């Protein structure tokens, strides 16, 4: 212990009775537990440039839906595989908060959040084995991060159905099965080379990975999609290296005839709801009509469209489809707002203030000092920044603040060599 060298040299056992050593022993700090990352791990790619793919059988209204969503002119013809190469476009995310801020500040620059949408070639039964445009279809799905699954619930003799007749429940089964079968084939290709090495090498890490992969395959073979499983942190990390097709969030878009949509009746809706409830209890279903949306798109302006919707008693479902698709990607946005610009900055849900600041510029994240934050509703109610401050609702937040959807933020940062703060 350094206080008495005699006991150490002549009688090591005397250390147990050394008062100095005992005191030293009892005042030693406890060993630190190994650091663990307890933050959430989510299925899917991390980032903000994420895409939603529109999928379904041929001739169910995918390209028409893509066109009305994105105001594009992708080919939409009455024959299978009209779409071969994927069409991609981005669409503004509608938000009344953004519109209000633009009207309040009247800036020359207005930049909303955007949703990236991809129109993907139609799928047929056997696509996982390469039938139809199966290989291209499935590889294009792999590049997306969520799916709009369009199913046809309208009858039209002039629009052929690849299966011969209209049956959206059967069609849902076909798409769901093809994606799952492709995932089974994918994970099997990963498992097969590992079987000998993982089992015979004695490598515990490889064996654990092998066991997880077998668990994924069993789950899929039991007819369950990856997104419906309950996975621990290590399993999710492994899943994210493979990016299974059935891991992607799905929004079910039920394409009705214009007549059925306006009168809010269709013989297939209850059966579709029953199928989704059985296969995906928390699944989102949005009935809409691509024909109705197309007729709205032909009108000259927003006022004419609003009048038409009021007369028909049926709103456009495009805002809901876009907003739900955006949220399915686990994205949200905050605002920077002033007389020069109102802009929505896309971030992942759960982002901390420095990460959110880095979306504007990397220097904002490197030199982050604080975020001055106003809740949109507080700002709207107060009527000005000064009134929000006077009401005590203008907050200064540090590095651990989790940015909330719709926050209005002003960042302070410092990257100068002099140490002088910049805004």
């Amino acid at each position: 212990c350094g206080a008495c060298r005699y006991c150490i040299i002549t009688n090591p056992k005397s250390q147990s009775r050394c008062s100095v050593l005992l005191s030293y022993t009892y005042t030693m700090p406890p060993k630190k537990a190994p650091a663990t990352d307890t933050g959430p791990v989510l299925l899917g790619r991390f980032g903000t440039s994420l895409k939603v793919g529109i999928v379904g059988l041929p001739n169910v209204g995918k390209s028409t839906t893509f066109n009305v969503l994105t105001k594009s002119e992708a080919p939409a013809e009455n024959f299978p595989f009209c779409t071969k190469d994927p069409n991609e476009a981005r669409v503004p995310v509608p938000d009344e908060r953004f519109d209000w801020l633009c009207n309040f500040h009247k800036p020359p620059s207005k930049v909303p959040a955007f949703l990236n949408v991809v129109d993907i070639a139609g799928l047929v039964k056997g696509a996982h084995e390469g039938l139809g445009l199966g290989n291209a279809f499935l590889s294009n799905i792999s590049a997306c991060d969520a799916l709009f699954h369009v199913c046809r619930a309208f009858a039209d003799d002039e629009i052929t159905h690849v299966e011969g007749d209209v049956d959206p429940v059967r069609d849902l089964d076909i798409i769901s099965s093809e994606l799952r079968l492709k995932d089974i084939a994918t994970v099997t290709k990963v498992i097969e080379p590992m079987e000998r090495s993982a089992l015979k090498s004695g490598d515990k890490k490889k064996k654990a990975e092998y066991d997880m992969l077998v668990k994924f395959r069993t789950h899929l073979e039991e007819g369950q999609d990856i997104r419906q499983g309950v996975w621990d942190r290590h399993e999710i990390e492994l899943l994210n290296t493979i990016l299974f097709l059935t891991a992607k969030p799905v929004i079910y878009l039920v394409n009705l005839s214009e007549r059925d949509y306006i009168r809010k009746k269709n013989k297939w809706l209850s059966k579709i709801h029953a199928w989704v409830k059985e296969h995906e209890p928390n699944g989102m279903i949005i009935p809409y009509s691509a024909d109705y949306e197309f007729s709205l798109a032909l009108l000259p302006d927003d006022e004419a469209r609003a009048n038409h919707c009021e007369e028909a008693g049926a709103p456009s479902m495009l805002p809901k489809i876009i907003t739900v698709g955006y949220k399915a990607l686990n994205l949200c946005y905050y605002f920077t707002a002033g007389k020069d610009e109102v802009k929505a900055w896309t971030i992942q849900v759960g982002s901390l203030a420095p990460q959110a600041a880095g979306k504007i510029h990397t220097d904002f994240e490197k030199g982050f000092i604080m975020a001055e934050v106003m809740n949109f509703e507080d700002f709207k109610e107060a009527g000005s920044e000064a009134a929000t401050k006077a009401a005590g609702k203008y907050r200064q937040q540090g590095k651990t603040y989790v940015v909330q959807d719709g926050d209005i933020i002003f960042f302070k940062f410092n990257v100068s060599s002099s140490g002088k703060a910049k805004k």
Side-chain angles (χ1 to χ4, degrees), residues 313-353:
S316 169
M317 293 305 292
L318 297 187
K320 182 175 182 178
I321 291 171
I322 295 167
T323 302
V324 170
Y326 187 85
K327 291 181 178 178
L329 295 171
N330 200 42
L331 299 176
C332 65
Y333 46 84
Y334 66 91
F335 299 111
T336 52
K339 63 180 182 179
D340 296 323
E341 182 181 68
V342 172
K343 184 168 183 176
W345 297 88
T346 294
I347 57 174
Q348 289 218 286
V349 172
S351 294
L352 300 179

Side-chain angles (χ1 to χ4, degrees), residues 66 70 72 87-91 115-118:
F66 174 81
T70 64
S72 302
N87 300 299
E88 185 171 349
R90 64 178 194 164
V91 54
L115 174 67
N116 298 311
V117 183
V118 183

Side-chain angles (χ1 to χ4, degrees), residues 73-353:
E73 296 182 358
E77 305 295 340
N78 180 24
F79 58 85
F81 312 120
C82 170
T83 301
K84 293 184 178 180
D85 297 323
N87 300 299
E88 185 171 349
R90 64 178 194 164
V91 54
V93 178
D95 192 328
E96 292 180 355
R97 300 170 300 180
F98 176 80
D99 297 337
W100 189 93
L101 288 170
C102 289
N103 290 330
F104 180 85
H105 290 288
K106 296 179 172 57
S109 176
K110 304 171 185 178
V111 185
F114 288 94
L115 174 67
N116 298 311
V117 183
V118 183
D119 179 23
I120 298 174
L123 173 75
V124 295
K125 189 183 294 185
H128 72 284
E129 297 175 334
L131 296 182
L133 297 176
N135 291 329
F137 173 93
L138 295 166
S139 64
N140 292 332
I141 289 181
S142 184
C144 295
D145 304 280
L147 302 176
F148 287 139
H149 182 167
V150 178
C151 58
R152 175 177 169 176
F154 66 89
D156 190 329
D157 293 337
E158 296 182 359
I159 302 177
T160 59
H161 194 293
V162 71
E163 290 294 320
D165 62 342
V166 174
D167 185 345
V169 174
R170 175 203 60 210
D171 298 349
L172 287 167
D173 274 327
I174 289 174
I175 299 292
S176 178
S177 297
E178 291 300 325
L179 298 183
R180 195 160 49 249
L181 289 168
K182 184 62 176 179
D183 278 350
I184 291 171
T186 298
V187 72
T188 299
K189 286 182 181 179
V190 180
I191 288 173
E192 286 177 348
M194 293 183 64
E195 285 181 331
R196 290 184 179 180
S197 59
L199 296 176
K200 293 184 178 181
S201 67
D203 188 323
K204 292 183 179 179
K205 185 177 180 180
K206 283 187 177 180
K207 178 62 167 59
E209 184 176 330
Y210 173 82
D211 289 341
M212 287 187 281
L213 291 167
V214 171
K215 181 179 178 180
F216 302 155
R217 183 169 64 180
T218 301
H219 180 82
L220 290 162
E221 290 173 340
E222 290 173 350
Q224 298 294 315
D225 293 336
I226 291 295
R227 65 180 172 276
Q228 296 161 2
V230 178
W231 314 110
D232 64 29
R233 184 183 192 88
H234 299 295
E235 290 167 340
I236 292 175
E237 288 173 350
L238 181 56
L239 285 168
N240 286 343
T241 66
I242 302 174
L243 296 174
F244 287 101
L245 302 181
T246 62
K248 303 176 190 300
V250 177
I251 300 100
Y252 297 94
L253 304 184
V254 183
N255 190 6
L256 309 173
S257 68
E258 186 169 350
R259 177 174 177 269
D260 283 358
Y261 178 68
I262 291 173
R263 70 192 185 110
K264 300 177 177 62
K265 289 183 180 179
N266 181 276
K267 68 177 183 178
W268 292 106
L269 280 175
S270 60
K271 297 177 182 179
I272 293 169
H273 275 276
W275 186 95
V276 173
K277 185 176 181 180
E278 178 186 351
H279 292 83
E280 194 162 359
N282 297 320
M284 169 69 74
I285 304 171
I286 303 179
Y288 79 113
S289 170
D291 281 349
Y292 181 71
E293 300 296 347
F294 184 73
S295 65
L296 289 177
L298 296 176
L299 297 175
D301 52 40
D302 290 342
E303 184 178 354
R305 283 186 280 274
N307 290 336
H308 183 85
C309 289
E310 186 175 353
E311 291 172 5
S316 169
M317 293 305 292
L318 297 187
K320 182 175 182 178
I321 291 171
I322 295 167
T323 302
V324 170
Y326 187 85
K327 291 181 178 178
L329 295 171
N330 200 42
L331 299 176
C332 65
Y333 46 84
Y334 66 91
F335 299 111
T336 52
K339 63 180 182 179
D340 296 323
E341 182 181 68
V342 172
K343 184 168 183 176
W345 297 88
T346 294
I347 57 174
Q348 289 218 286
V349 172
S351 294
L352 300 179

Side-chain angles (χ1 to χ4, degrees), residues 54 61-76 87 119 294 297 318:
I54 302 177
K62 299 186 304 301
S63 294
T64 302
T65 301
F66 174 81
N67 287 339
V68 295
L69 275 174
T70 64
K71 296 180 173 61
S72 302
E73 296 182 358
N87 300 299
D119 179 23
F294 184 73
L318 297 187

